[in-house]
Every structure is written in C-alpha cells, then in structure tokens.
Amino acid sequence: MIPHGHTTVDEILRGTCVRILKCLRHQFFLLLLTSALWAQSFVAKPLPDLGPGKYKGFEGGLYEKGSNEVPRDHAADGLALAAQVRPIRGKFVLLAIGMSNATIEFRVFGQMAAADTGVNHTTMAVINGAQGAMTACFWRFATENPVQSGCRAPRPIPNQYDRIRDELLKPAGLAEDQVEVIWLKNADPRPTVALPAPDADAYAYERELGETARAARTRYPNLKLMFISSRVYAGYAALPLNPEPYAYEYGFSVKWAIQSQIDQMRSGKVDPIAGDLDYKKGAAPWIAWGPYLWADGTVPRSDGLTWKPSEFQSDGTHPNKEGVNKVAHMLLDFFESSPYAPWFKKQ
C-alpha cells in the first residue's frame, strides 16, 4: 500500500501523461513555427523562369544553357523512340513509379485520362505503380530486396518492381515487357544538406535517379521513355519530411541527371554521379522532363501557376483534392501536347 498523503500510482501516471501532452503540443508548435519560417525565408525562381540566371551558382532552365527546350540531338532521339512505342500483344503500358505524392496525383490523372475521349484507350494501359512511403531508395534495385540492400523501413518491404508485376500487371493481364513509358516523381525523406554543399541531398537524389533509370530498364526490356517531375512547393510543410529548399533543389537533381545522359550520348563519358544512362546500349531509357510542378508559393510563375496553403493537407507536404487535381491536369496537358507522346492520343 502507498502511505496516506503520498502520491498514488494513478496520480503519477496522470502527471506523466500531462507532461507528455504538453511536450507534444510544444513540439507541434515548434513544427508550425518552423513551417512558417520555411515559407517566409525561402524565395527562389522556378527553373523555367530562372533561365540562364543562377541559384547559389547553379544555372536555371530545364535543360542546358538556361533553356527550357530539349536540345536538338536529344530531341531527335526522343522523337525516334516515341515513334517506336507500339502495342505488344495488343497493349503497351504507361507506368507511374514513385512516392505518396506521385500515387495520389497519378490516380486522379488516370481517372481524367479514362474520361477523355481524345486519349488512346485502345492500345494504352495506364498503371499506377507509385506507392506511399516508397521514396527514392526503394526504386534503385532491379531485383534485390530494398530493406536488405540498405533502405530504411519500419517493416519488410518487397522489391517494388516485383510488387508491380505481381499486384498490378499480372491481374490486368499485362507483363513487364509491355511497359514502354514511365512517369517518375520521387524524393528522399528528411533531407538535411542543402546546396551548394558538395554533399548536398540534391546530388544524392541525382544518383538515385540514375540508379532508378537503370533498374527500371533492367525490369522492363522494352522501356523507351522516362519522364521525370520534381516536387511541388513545400514551403508550407509542417513536418521536416521534405521541406524547402529541398523540394526546389530536387529540380536541379532532375536537370543534372537529364544533362548527364545528354552529355554521355555526345561524348561517351559516364557521369560519376548519375552513372551510365546510354539508351542506345540499353542501360537506361531516354529521359526528359515531365511537367515541372514547382512554383514559389503564392508568387505566380510566368505561366501563372501558384501554390496556396489551401491546396495542401494539414502536413503541408501532400496536396489535398484541389492540389491533386491541379497536378493531374498538368500531367494530362503534358501528355496530350508533348511531341514525345503521340502514343498517348487517340489515333
């Protein structure tokens, strides 16, 4: 028995719970404050608007020399490969891979595409292979188990390409050799090192993009085209999952990976970060930008795109229904207008 006048076990537990709740409320307040500081302190020009200007010494534009146009030699090869996208056993697959943002956005895109009479519903199968929490590390391995190969996860995770084969392609009567086009959107969780540091997370993500391109090409022998989008604005993030400036700087990762492929095809020299991306020898698919989704919050970029706090879920990282619809529309517009996607439209 606890002597009269002494604190009881229930009282101790109640006091502990109160202290824990106060601590959690304090931490949540700090997260909200940090989010506000991120949104207020980070200012940058979207890559297409930055052009030949510099961000921390790095040239803007989606492609080389500050341009937003695919270089002529890379464009010619992309057009040739786009013309080769044809049904295999009656179908070819447009596949999405990536993380949570990618899967919720591509799901709505798929619904929009299915309802659009101008889209090719005859020979194209649209498959959403992206999945929540499956960030960049989990797509690096063609056959290996990602957790056993170094990806951090609280539970066993299967090889992502195995999952797509077994849970998505096979039930739809499809096979891996029918995957000919990929849309990729991904990121790394909880980045900590910004540019221009030589060990910045932007370089790590560039390396992972190269590894993903090679892994995907290994699993999908007829994969021809890979379109990559970087993240939307993250200045409202209430958690350090993928805040600014990293969401913005991952745009440079995409730009550099694409340029690495362009440079390699011209010179034969393999980039030490992105690795071998030779699409003529089958090391990787031809890579180019998908829609560029980043804008500096409520500051309109040159085409008018903005991101408002009301377009995000409470975490400030994942878009809500309004934000998802915005991305899905941009993705649909991209494929309907891209010269590298004649296969997307109804013939």
Side-chain angles (χ1 to χ4, degrees), residues 15-269:
T16 301
C17 289
V18 168
R19 287 193 295 274
I20 290 173
L21 288 172
K22 286 182 177 178
C23 180
L24 289 174
R25 284 197 296 268
H26 177 67
Q27 290 178 339
F28 182 68
F29 173 76
L30 288 177
L31 285 171
L32 290 177
L33 178 61
T34 302
S35 170
L37 291 174
W38 281 332
Q40 293 168 9
S41 63
F42 182 72
V43 176
K45 281 189 177 183
L47 289 185
D49 293 352
L50 182 58
K54 300 291 180 66
Y55 167 82
K56 297 183 179 180
F58 301 101
E59 186 177 64
L62 298 180
Y63 295 97
E64 61 187 6
K65 301 177 182 178
S67 173
N68 297 321
E69 299 297 324
V70 181
R72 288 186 179 182
D73 50 351
H74 197 58
D77 287 347
L79 292 171
L81 286 167
Q84 295 174 26
V85 175
R86 299 187 183 97
I88 298 172
R89 298 185 299 280
K91 294 282 185 181
F92 71 89
V93 175
L94 165 60
L95 173 70
I97 62 175
M99 57 182 180
S100 53
N101 289 51
T103 192
I104 60 177
E105 292 158 358
F106 199 81
R107 183 182 305 122
V108 175
F109 158 78
Q111 295 167 356
M112 290 180 178
D116 192 323
T117 58
V119 171
N120 173 13
H121 302 304
T122 304
T123 60
M124 180 177 67
V126 178
I127 299 293
N128 186 2
Q131 190 173 67
M134 294 301 99
T135 48
C137 184
F138 295 93
W139 300 94
R140 297 166 51 214
F141 308 103
T143 57
E144 302 93 324
N145 179 278
V147 177
Q148 293 175 358
S149 299
C151 298
R152 294 182 180 180
R155 56 185 173 84
I157 301 291
N159 178 279
Q160 289 305 291
Y161 303 100
D162 285 351
R163 175 183 61 82
I164 290 172
R165 177 196 61 200
D166 298 338
E167 299 180 13
L168 300 174
L169 294 176
K170 283 185 177 179
L174 300 165
E176 291 182 310
D177 66 345
Q178 292 171 289
V179 176
E180 298 189 50
V181 185
I182 282 179
W183 177 65
L184 163 65
K185 181 184 178 184
N186 224 327
D188 281 319
R190 301 183 183 276
T192 57
V193 184
L195 291 171
D199 59 341
D201 285 89
Y203 295 119
Y205 185 50
E206 179 191 357
R207 180 177 293 106
E208 289 166 328
L209 287 174
E211 292 170 327
T212 299
R214 288 187 291 278
R217 182 61 177 78
T218 297
R219 290 301 295 250
Y220 308 127
N222 292 310
L223 178 61
K224 298 172 178 66
L225 309 170
M226 177 180 281
F227 300 97
I228 308 177
S229 294
S230 56
R231 278 185 38 79
V232 300
Y233 180 67
Y236 309 122
L239 296 170
L241 183 61
N242 199 255
E244 298 299 351
Y246 306 102
Y248 174 75
E249 292 182 356
Y250 284 161
F252 283 97
S253 307
V254 178
K255 172 185 170 76
W256 295 336
I258 295 169
Q259 191 61 45
S260 295
Q261 184 177 66
I262 294 170
D263 291 342
Q264 180 182 350
M265 300 309 295
R266 289 170 178 168
S267 69
K269 184 179 179 180

